[in-house]
Amino acid sequence: MSGLFSTLNVGVRGMTAQQGAIDVTSHNIANANTDGYSRQRVTMETTRPSNTSPGQMGTGVQISSITRIRDTYLDYQVRAENGTMGLNEGKDNVLSQVETVFNGLSDTGVATLINKVYASWQTLSTSPQLSNTRTVVAQQSKALTDQLNSIYNQLKTVKDDCKAVIKQDVVDINSMLDQIDKLNQQIKEVKIGGDEPNDLLDKRDLLEDKLSTKFGITIEKKTYGGEDLKATDGATGDLTLVKSDLTDDVKRFSYVSSITPKKDTNGIVISGTYDVTYYKNGDMSSDNNKVTMTMELSKNAYTSLDQGRVLVADKDGYAVDKDGKKIAGMEFIGGDIVGTQIPLATGTTYQLFNPTTGELKGYMDVQVDIDTYVNQLNNLAKGIAFSVNAIHSGTSTASDAGNEKDVFNFFVNSIKPNAAGEAEITAGNITVNSLIINDPMLIKVGTGNPPGPTDGTRAAAIAKLKDVKFKIQGISDNSTRTQFLSDNTVVEGSSTALLTISSAPDGMTVGSYFTTIVNGLAITVQGASQNVTNHGALLSKLEESRTSTSGVSLDEEMANLIQYQHAYAANAKIISTVDELLDLIVNGLKK
């Protein structure tokens, strides 16, 4: 009897083990299309045998573990490539927008408009007595300045869009870090209890995959399935974002929403001093998360902060200095200002996150490119304005002569109070003098006092500027007309005498300068697109390799299901047979 009951137990254990295997297989099939799921396998082992004569007798089977199939080396490779792909995709997306904004060499692009402006001056030089030729000059020039204004503003918008992506990334990153932190503790609890938290491990790995597209991460395995997660910072080294042990001594990120020049009590801007406002953990849904700090920033520090925008913070979102200490600032809670405002001496004690790869890095770096294109566009605007104004006014020295009609500028700064001023002119504010727009007859066409009705010598000289080479590439933010023309041979004129400009050595014409910008942009965009294609192919191959290891194959699972089904049925047959034998013994004895 004891032998039959022992056999019965063997059959029960067999059915139980095969049922568990069927459950795991069903779980795999159900999650065949679940993102981040790793297929699981049942490991079976024999149960402890019984000691009987003449030797040990087997007692059946049991499930020793349910493990997920995962290759950690492939995980490392995929995550490293995720960071590179995120960087290149971010650059490619933005640079493609910039290329579209410039509109290249199309019929409505800047290059075509530049040619039309100089052509209109040439036409005017041959027909100075016609009012419509003057109107064409004014309108073609206004079309050019409007296009420059539009490109400038669109580039600024593209840059703002980059910052918006960075802001959203900060929110998403902090959320993922909090989730990984919670999963860490849940996994450890399950591990300590002696079980395998396979589905929790999958969730954590999936979050780490997504996080790796934002910036480079390193992961250190700890006991009981815990992990320490760090971000690679090019400035300060690794930043610990998640620890296996539950602690608040980890870093998070906050987003700088504005950098505003500081003003004194009289409303005068304090040079180099700024009010820097950031939102804790990037959460701009409430002013309770807003903190403002006063900082002294050099030009380079301002540029880095403006392009980066991501501050290293403590777990509560407060910005920390390079020693990890909270930086004091004004907080706005319930509409009231709380906290202490402490001006920083140098503005360099804060930690600006400087990722070495990933989407964040891409959107930070591409802003440098945008600023470069804005500066080049500003140089183009200055070059056009300075050269045309010099001949139109008859002097190589800039004049802000207001409404003096004998000496004034053709191109002016639209935001300056003085309508004729060209100081601080950029692609964003360049326009045609409103006096000329309202009265094209004010355009200076000839020389002499007064010029003859058919004298178009000044207009002809402006038309020839199309072929004059200038040091446009050497213009700075503070360049004046005199400095711009210092490399050219200039024969001074006056309001009645013609000023002439000869080409500068190693200079560029206005048209060729813009063409160089467009061609350089096209090459950069092509390179970025090629990088995306190349790294996309590599990432696809790595993910394919990982899927072949960890992914669910429905064909394989169906084959396993049939195998476990037959084993289950066989064990059921054992139980049925033992039942018949027990019935024979028990009921047969009654007879």
Side-chain angles (χ1 to χ4, degrees):
M1 290 286 289
S2 61
L4 287 177
F5 281 118
S6 176
T7 305
L8 183 66
N9 286 332
V10 171
V12 170
R13 290 192 183 101
M15 286 185 65
T16 301
Q18 304 310 317
Q19 178 64 59
I22 290 173
D23 289 342
V24 171
T25 303
S26 300
H27 187 55
N28 286 340
I29 293 172
N31 287 279
N33 296 315
T34 300
D35 191 19
Y37 180 79
S38 303
R39 63 190 175 100
Q40 299 177 13
R41 282 288 173 266
V42 168
T43 302
M44 299 183 189
E45 64 180 11
T46 56
T47 54
R48 184 173 181 178
S50 61
N51 293 320
T52 60
S53 180
Q56 291 185 327
M57 183 72 71
T59 58
V61 67
Q62 66 181 5
I63 295 176
S64 61
S65 65
I66 301 174
T67 57
R68 63 184 190 136
I69 310 302
R70 194 85 182 189
D71 188 328
T72 55
Y73 179 64
L74 283 175
D75 283 339
Y76 169 79
Q77 287 184 303
V78 168
R79 288 166 187 164
E81 195 58 32
N82 275 341
T84 305
M85 189 65 178
L87 185 152
N88 287 302
E89 281 187 328
K91 284 188 173 183
D92 182 47
N93 289 339
V94 176
L95 289 174
S96 296
Q97 293 180 53
V98 172
E99 186 178 38
T100 302
V101 166
F102 267 92
N103 206 16
L105 306 176
S106 68
D107 291 340
T108 58
V110 170
T112 300
L113 292 174
I114 289 174
N115 290 331
K116 287 182 178 180
V117 166
Y118 288 124
S120 68
W121 280 104
Q122 183 61 43
T123 301
L124 177 59
S125 70
T126 60
S127 305
Q129 72 279 12
L130 301 178
S131 61
N132 65 319
T133 55
R134 294 171 181 257
T135 301
V136 169
V137 167
Q139 294 304 319
Q140 289 287 13
S141 299
K142 187 65 166 60
L144 173 60
T145 60
D146 287 347
Q147 182 68 5
L148 290 173
N149 296 162
S150 176
I151 294 176
Y152 179 93
N153 291 328
Q154 289 181 74
L155 288 177
K156 292 294 186 182
T157 299
V158 173
K159 186 175 180 179
D160 289 340
D161 290 343
C162 290
K163 294 173 183 176
V165 173
I166 292 173
K167 179 186 76 66
Q168 187 58 49
D169 277 351
V170 169
V171 175
D172 294 342
I173 287 167
N174 287 323
S175 175
M176 285 189 280
L177 291 174
D178 289 341
Q179 292 178 65
I180 292 172
D181 197 10
K182 291 178 182 178
L183 286 169
N184 236 2
Q185 304 312 313
Q186 293 172 359
I187 288 168
K188 288 180 64 178
E189 289 176 5
V190 174
K191 281 278 193 179
I192 291 172
D195 294 323
E196 287 294 330
N198 293 321
D199 292 335
L200 294 177
L201 290 168
D202 283 343
K203 289 181 180 179
R204 187 177 66 183
D205 283 340
L206 180 59
L207 285 169
E208 289 169 350
D209 285 349
K210 292 179 178 179
L211 195 64
S212 67
T213 66
K214 305 298 183 182
F215 53 80
I217 62 174
T218 56
I219 296 172
E220 296 179 6
K221 301 290 184 179
K222 299 296 181 179
T223 56
Y224 297 112
E227 290 181 348
D228 286 356
L229 188 150
K230 299 179 180 180
T232 303
D233 187 309
T236 60
D238 290 342
L239 298 172
T240 301
L241 305 177
V242 175
K243 282 189 175 181
S244 175
D245 298 329
L246 188 61
T247 176
D248 289 335
D249 185 24
V250 291
K251 298 296 187 293
R252 291 292 184 267
F253 302 109
S254 292
Y255 176 74
V256 175
S257 61
S258 64
I259 310 170
T260 308
K262 183 76 173 178
K263 295 181 179 179
D264 61 19
T265 54
N266 296 320
I268 299 174
V269 173
I270 304 173
S271 178
T273 304
Y274 300 86
D275 281 338
V276 177
T277 299
Y278 72 87
Y279 281 81
K280 292 178 285 185
N281 296 321
D283 184 3
M284 299 179 66
S285 62
S286 171
D287 278 350
N288 290 346
N289 297 319
K290 184 168 71 172
V291 180
T292 298
M293 307 176 295
T294 296
M295 293 184 174
E296 293 181 2
L297 301 173
S298 65
K299 183 177 180 180
N300 288 339
Y302 173 88
T303 300
S304 297
L305 186 60
D306 178 55
Q307 294 168 349
R309 297 276 171 165
V310 182
L311 296 177
V312 178
D314 60 20
K315 197 170 184 180
D316 294 323
Y318 289 100
V320 296
D321 61 22
K322 293 184 178 180
D323 295 323
K325 296 180 181 178
K326 173 182 170 182
I327 302 174
M330 291 190 300
E331 292 184 63
F332 301 84
I333 299 180
D336 298 323
I337 297 176
V338 300
T340 303
Q341 178 85 352
I342 302 177
L344 303 181
T346 62
T348 59
T349 57
Y350 62 87
Q351 286 194 66
L352 183 65
F353 183 45
N354 180 33
T356 57
T357 187
E359 183 178 290
L360 274 180
K361 177 67 172 176
Y363 281 100
M364 289 175 180
D365 283 357
V366 81
Q367 292 182 70
V368 178
D369 296 324
I370 294 174
D371 286 342
T372 298
Y373 294 125
V374 168
N375 288 335
Q376 290 176 333
L377 202 65
N378 287 340
N379 290 352
L380 179 69
K382 286 184 172 73
I384 293 172
F386 290 160
S387 58
V388 172
N389 286 349
I391 294 181
H392 190 264
S393 64
T395 175
S396 62
T397 303
S399 172
D400 292 335
N403 292 331
E404 292 182 32
K405 295 183 181 180
D406 58 335
V407 180
F408 62 79
N409 299 313
F410 187 88
F411 291 108
V412 296
N413 181 340
S414 63
I415 62 175
K416 283 182 64 66
N418 190 327
E422 70 177 23
E424 300 177 8
I425 201 167
T426 67
N429 59 44
I430 186 174
T431 190
V432 178
N433 195 323
S434 59
L435 297 173
I436 291 174
I437 293 295
N438 295 330
D439 184 6
M441 297 305 293
L442 293 177
I443 297 175
K444 291 181 175 293
V445 180
T447 57
N449 188 19
T454 60
D455 182 2
T457 53
R458 194 181 299 270
I462 294 176
K464 290 179 181 178
L465 289 175
K466 177 183 178 181
D467 300 317
V468 176
K469 296 180 180 180
F470 301 97
K471 280 290 189 69
I472 304 179
Q473 65 272 28
I475 298 177
S476 67
D477 292 342
N478 300 319
S479 291
T480 63
R481 187 194 303 177
T482 302
Q483 292 169 334
F484 170 67
L485 295 174
S486 62
D487 292 307
N488 293 79
T489 302
V490 179
V491 178
E492 290 290 347
S494 66
S495 59
T496 58
L498 187 64
L499 178 145
T500 60
I501 304 174
S502 300
S503 293
D506 302 323
M508 304 174 71
T509 65
V510 169
S512 63
Y513 180 75
F514 182 75
T515 302
T516 300
I517 297 174
V518 173
N519 290 342
L521 174 59
I523 293 172
T524 303
V525 171
Q526 184 180 16
S529 179
Q530 189 62 48
N531 284 337
V532 170
T533 301
N534 293 341
H535 287 284
L538 177 57
L539 181 59
S540 178
K541 185 170 292 187
L542 288 171
E543 288 179 336
E544 183 179 345
S545 297
R546 186 166 68 169
T547 300
S548 67
T549 301
S550 302
V552 176
S553 168
L554 290 178
D555 291 340
E556 181 182 351
E557 298 303 326
M558 291 302 295
N560 290 338
L561 189 61
I562 294 172
Q563 177 184 343
Y564 297 140
Q565 178 188 2
H566 286 310
Y568 186 90
N571 281 280
K573 184 62 177 177
I574 292 174
I575 294 174
S576 175
T577 301
V578 172
D579 178 62
E580 291 178 2
L581 293 174
L582 287 173
D583 180 69
L584 177 64
I585 293 173
V586 173
N587 294 324
L589 289 175
K590 291 180 181 180
K591 298 177 180 179

